Amino acid sequence: MVWLVGLSLFGSAFCLFWGQLLVGKLLLPLWGGSPLVWNTCLAFFQATLLLGYLWADRLGRGLNPRMGVLIHGILLLVGLRLLPFQLGIPGQPEGWWPPLALLANLTLGAGVPLFLLSATTPLLQRGLAARGVAGQREALDPYFLYVASNAGSLGGLLGYPLVLEPRLSLAGQTHLWTGSYALVAALVLLSGVGLLLSCNGVAEPQERGADSQGSGAALGNWAVSWRERWRWAGLAFLPAGLLVAVTTLLTTDVAAVPLLWAIPLGIYLLTFMLAFGGIHPNKGVLGTTALLACGAVGTQVLGWVRPGFLLLPLHLTTFGLVSWGCHSRLACRRPPVEQLTQFYLWLALGGSLGGMFSALLAPQVFETVLEYPLLLGMSLAVLGAQGGRVGLWLGLGLLLPLLLLHFQPQALLQVGAGVGLALGWAVLALLVSGESRSQQQSGAPGWQAKVGWVGAMAGLVVLLGQPWLQPGLQVIHSERSAFGLNRIVEYQTEQGSFRSLLHGTTLHGSQNLDPEKALEPLTYFSRSGPVGQVFAAFRAQTVDPTPAIAVLGLGIGTLAAYAEPGDEWTFFELDPTVADWAGRYFSYLRWAQMRARVQVILGDARLSLKGIPEGSYDLMVMDAFSSDAVPVHLLTQEALALYLSKLKPHGWLLFNITNRHLDLAPLLAGLAGSLQLHAWHQDHRDLSPEQRQAGLAPSHWVLLSPRDASTTASAGRSPLAQNSGVLQELDPWQPLLPQAGDPVWRDDFSNLLQVIRWPWIPLLKGIQIPSSG
């Protein structure tokens, strides 16, 4: 019976996690690549989990727990009527607030099956824990089965990108998920029948006063108070909030590596498995955790984001150990079996609040990723109260002088300071007072409570410590939103003074502050580089007196430096902050608006292009980036076909594929081959030190031509070669020919593992990623 229940738990969690990832990917072509989509999906899934646990608690209270499992299995089977997922709202309905419209789409298209799956874990554990299984009087410890549930979640997290996504289209994934859901429903139904048959008429235990051996031993028969319930929520709040915070930090400031978000989530699930599997950190581990947490906070205060190969392990290890400590406290404070569903309900509440705080509230009230050091500061109190006093004192001795050095009293006047202070003191008061009371009841000395409040003070000072950038950069303005952290910085080199836009640590454009050089395009767009060559050839060939150019991704508007009288320029930009700053802090757009017709369209580029008449543009430039990653939905076969439909018959497509972590050239070659386009590329990396000092940056560009094969194209020459005698002798644009195995992404199939650069992990160099299945 235990094996059947364990298998049902594993399968249910696997399907739930897989379903979340699958639904998110199904929404991309419909809603675009805005972070709003992912944040809203995250909030929806957390709310669904909370509602599922609430349903499990209500059902478990009103019925025999084993009968509740049987009823739940029947409902799961009924849920098959709502599958496969029906996410058919084509973008934002007119007049609706976007998050509300997306939540409605998720609820109607996928809400019920995911809700039913989320309630499975507590119901099965509560049903198995009821006495009298197989006619035996001894109680079972159902919390150990939480390991199976989290193992299933971890399997879904790793199995989707590594096994399922590379081999199956979205249609195939959807049908396989429907079949897996049906299998889970059958297993839960069988578990309910088996639990009822194994009862053998043994009476149910009383809600109170029952022997709780093997479950919640730390609490015994102690009645669960409201303070204790909120303490469960607080201990779940910290790791869940840190999960989102550390993911935001790593993917924007340290390394914008695709799929890096999966590593913190995997660590988070693993710590649950360790804690509820009975493996807990000792005082030495807790002390080391406190010391590492102080070190991680110190790197934030100093603004250290390099080198990534050192900071990645530091932040990930700190996050994992802190989560393990919090989850271990939860496992040790678990209540008797009779309160199991309440326990999971409060865990889900704390996790939802933590995730929503970091994903939705923090970007609105904090100018930087300040929730990360704030949550780490709060965790120091928990670690100190648990026994990690040596590492805590040592870490605070090194950290507090640094924090005081950067103390800024004016930060108290900011909205973020007030929110952070209120939250920090509330959580700390709840957690530390509970730990102190437990220690006093056990006869422990009172200094542990003082250590906890020292941690509280550390959290207060951490809130006011302002993260810095590396020396030499002066922050002019910074703003954070759902789209990430943007900063305007200024710096000087031997070649002059420059102003740049940074998204995380990724450069999105620079401008020379010398008025005589301010209109010279820099970074990836120099006149001597690929972009300058394309515009020179474009001007030589075009006969239209009013050529139309579209640019997907505004940045600071550098490409507007190529505007000439009579031009019609259209920029598509997702982030309103970037659009505002391009006109406020940089002069490219303002200058171009005096010479040509220039407009900026806000919103996802692909969705916005659907409203543009066909055959509108002579040249389209794809330069849309989210930090250092190109949104996947802008690089599919359907997306490229949409771009081609907006081009005039002899128009060109120019793609910026400059990237530290992705090799997109094979993808563009495969897409060009599938649509019978001519393709050339230029990897412009041979820059002199003087050019780099002058603000130029290496770049990699791909040029696509939908025209019929010409003599130049058939000879392997780019269309630029016929416009310059120099280029005819040495054409820097090389043919980009499709090769066997080149990926071709579609809206229903994409695989980031195919294009990730792996040199920093030597063992992965020889891995062959399947293209389809």
Side-chain angles (χ1 to χ4, degrees), residues 63-135:
L63 293 172
N64 179 314
R66 292 181 288 272
M67 180 61 71
V69 174
L70 182 62
I71 293 176
H72 186 68
I74 295 173
L75 291 176
L76 281 168
L77 287 177
V78 173
L80 281 169
R81 297 282 299 176
L82 302 176
L83 294 175
F85 296 127
Q86 301 294 328
L87 301 171
I89 298 180
Q92 176 185 343
E94 184 176 357
W96 284 50
W97 183 47
L100 182 61
L102 180 55
L103 285 173
N105 194 355
L106 285 165
T107 302
L108 296 174
V112 173
L114 295 178
F115 161 75
L116 292 172
L117 285 174
S118 66
T120 302
T121 293
L123 278 173
L124 282 174
Q125 291 187 40
R126 180 68 181 89
L128 185 66
R131 300 185 185 204
V133 175

Side-chain angles (χ1 to χ4, degrees), residues 619-644:
L619 173 65
M620 292 183 67
V621 183
M622 221 294 285
D623 186 42
F625 286 83
S626 176
S627 188
D628 199 35
V630 180
V632 170
H633 73 293
L634 297 181
L635 289 174
T636 64
Q637 193 175 56
E638 291 84 351
L640 190 55
L642 175 65
Y643 307 152
L644 293 173

Side-chain angles (χ1 to χ4, degrees), residues 219 222-233 333:
L219 296 179
W222 176 60
V224 179
S225 65
W226 283 102
R227 178 185 293 271
E228 181 65 15
R229 294 170 184 173
W230 280 110
R231 195 167 296 120
W232 294 339
R333 300 189 71 89

Side-chain angles (χ1 to χ4, degrees), residues 333-348:
R333 300 189 71 89
R334 65 193 189 276
V337 171
E338 291 75 22
Q339 284 87 32
L340 180 146
T341 53
Q342 281 192 50
F343 179 65
Y344 285 139
L345 175 62
W346 285 91
L347 258 65

Side-chain angles (χ1 to χ4, degrees), residues 193-511:
V193 173
L195 288 170
L196 280 175
L197 294 178
S198 63
C199 177
N200 292 333
V202 179
E204 291 292 318
Q206 298 296 319
E207 282 290 314
R208 296 177 180 260
D211 181 19
S212 301
Q213 107 184 34
S215 175
L219 296 179
N221 297 330
W222 176 60
V224 179
S225 65
W226 283 102
R227 178 185 293 271
E228 181 65 15
R229 294 170 184 173
W230 280 110
R231 195 167 296 120
W232 294 339
L235 288 169
F237 175 92
L238 287 177
L242 274 172
L243 170 63
V244 179
V246 76
T247 302
T248 302
L249 172 74
L250 295 181
T251 54
T252 58
D253 278 357
V254 179
V257 179
L259 301 180
L260 182 61
W261 58 268
I263 299 177
L265 187 52
I267 293 173
Y268 177 80
L269 296 172
L270 184 61
T271 60
F272 261 122
M273 295 169 62
L274 290 174
F276 285 85
I279 304 175
H280 304 293
N282 56 29
K283 291 185 177 180
V285 173
L286 292 172
T288 302
T289 304
L291 182 60
L292 289 175
C294 291
V297 172
T299 64
Q300 283 296 100
V301 174
L302 291 174
W304 289 351
V305 296
R306 295 287 185 271
F309 68 87
L310 291 179
L311 292 182
L312 274 173
L314 171 63
H315 291 300
L316 290 174
T317 302
T318 301
F319 164 68
L321 291 176
V322 168
S323 299
W324 188 21
C326 292
H327 291 155
S328 292
R329 291 306 302 157
L330 277 172
C332 293
R333 300 189 71 89
R334 65 193 189 276
V337 171
E338 291 75 22
Q339 284 87 32
L340 180 146
T341 53
Q342 281 192 50
F343 179 65
Y344 285 139
L345 175 62
W346 285 91
L347 258 65
L349 176 62
S352 298
L353 292 176
M356 291 181 182
F357 164 72
S358 293
L360 301 179
L361 179 61
Q364 304 301 319
V365 298
F366 296 146
E367 293 184 357
T368 62
V369 191
L370 202 55
E371 65 273 16
Y372 178 62
L374 173 63
L375 291 169
L376 282 181
M378 288 189 282
S379 71
L380 291 176
V382 179
L383 297 170
Q386 284 183 248
R389 58 185 183 275
V390 176
L392 178 60
W393 284 116
L394 179 59
L396 289 179
L398 298 173
L399 180 61
L400 285 177
L402 178 63
L403 294 173
L404 292 172
L405 181 65
H406 294 295
F407 181 79
Q408 298 183 15
Q410 66 271 22
L412 285 170
L413 302 178
Q414 299 176 354
V415 175
V419 174
L421 283 173
L423 174 68
W425 282 101
V427 175
L428 285 169
L430 179 68
L431 297 177
V432 177
S433 64
E435 298 294 343
S436 301
R437 179 177 299 182
S438 300
Q439 290 162 358
Q440 291 172 2
Q441 291 175 352
S442 63
W447 61 264
Q448 286 97 329
K450 296 180 181 179
V451 171
W453 289 112
V454 170
M457 294 302 298
L460 168 63
V461 180
V462 165
L463 174 65
L464 304 178
Q466 302 301 309
W468 283 11
L469 289 175
Q470 57 266 36
L473 292 179
Q474 178 185 2
V475 180
I476 303 301
H477 189 64
S478 65
E479 186 172 321
R480 187 177 175 202
S481 66
F483 299 95
L485 173 62
N486 292 307
R487 286 174 283 199
I488 302 293
V489 300
E490 291 185 358
Y491 64 97
Q492 291 184 341
T493 70
E494 296 178 357
Q495 300 292 327
S497 299
F498 301 88
R499 178 177 292 170
S500 301
L501 169 64
L502 295 179
H503 182 260
T505 58
T506 301
L507 178 66
H508 281 244
S510 296
Q511 187 171 27

